[in-house]
Amino acid sequence: MTTVTIGGPLKGSQALSGLIAATGRYFDESERLVRESLAEGRSVTFEDIQDYGLTPDIDRFCQAQGLSYQRAWSARPGVFEAGLRHWRPGLVSPVAEAADDGGEPMMTLPALRNALAAGETLTDLLARLDEAVSAAVPPLTLVDPELTIGSHASVGNPVVA
């Protein structure tokens, strides 16, 4: 099972259409889920079985549009382990973490020992894992980049979809 959570500001109706198209390649009911998330002021989450948990079109779209995302996949015994990747504006590339089958980040004992040997503190490790949870993805919002300060709304003000 693959779960993708996406959030952040969608800059205009073309970005909205692009998100629906990118997610629709992998997940059913993409348009309904995106529009519900916008109306409810929350991030959007998609879940389905995907080829090894890969969603390259979604990853590329989110990075190009500055949308935060977390993609997690369940293990397939004998084939691959559960894991996750997350990205947000400001990161150079997606960050990979081990995950449990529920998509929550975790660390194995060897990884924990390696991190501690590299000088990371428990506070550092907790902060790193906190960034990887799907709840860290901000709400999905639709903003109108055409509006300017002083008009009826300003850049960054949500627009009803």
Side-chain angles (χ1 to χ4, degrees):
M1 185 64 63
T2 299
T3 304
V4 179
T5 302
I6 301 169
L10 279 168
K11 296 173 183 84
S13 60
Q14 285 186 325
L16 172 61
S17 297
L19 176 61
I20 291 168
T23 55
R25 290 183 190 105
Y26 303 96
F27 300 102
D28 293 333
E29 301 187 35
S30 174
E31 183 170 7
R32 180 185 64 79
L33 292 171
V34 168
R35 292 190 184 280
E36 282 178 2
S37 295
L38 285 167
E40 295 171 8
R42 60 177 171 77
S43 56
V44 60
T45 299
F46 304 93
E47 187 174 83
D48 205 346
I49 297 172
Q50 297 301 322
D51 186 25
Y52 297 96
L54 300 175
T55 57
D57 294 336
I58 295 173
D59 298 4
R60 275 191 298 276
F61 178 84
C62 288
Q63 289 175 35
Q65 295 293 319
L67 298 172
S68 299
Y69 69 90
Q70 189 243 39
R71 177 171 41 89
W73 57 91
S74 301
R76 248 179 139 178
V79 181
F80 55 85
E81 297 294 323
L84 68 83
R85 288 190 187 270
H86 68 95
W87 183 87
R88 61 177 163 68
L91 292 176
V92 174
S93 61
V95 177
E97 297 288 356
D100 61 23
D101 275 337
E104 293 299 318
M106 58 167 245
M107 291 189 83
T108 63
L109 186 55
L112 182 59
R113 285 187 174 133
N114 288 339
L116 292 173
E120 291 186 70
T121 66
L122 181 56
T123 302
D124 296 334
L125 295 172
L126 289 173
R128 178 176 127 191
L129 295 177
D130 280 342
E131 287 183 0
V133 297
S134 62
V137 175
L140 188 66
T141 58
L142 182 61
V143 295
D144 188 342
E146 302 300 318
L147 297 175
T148 59
I149 305 296
S151 64
H152 292 285
S154 62
V155 174
N157 284 351
V159 176
V160 177

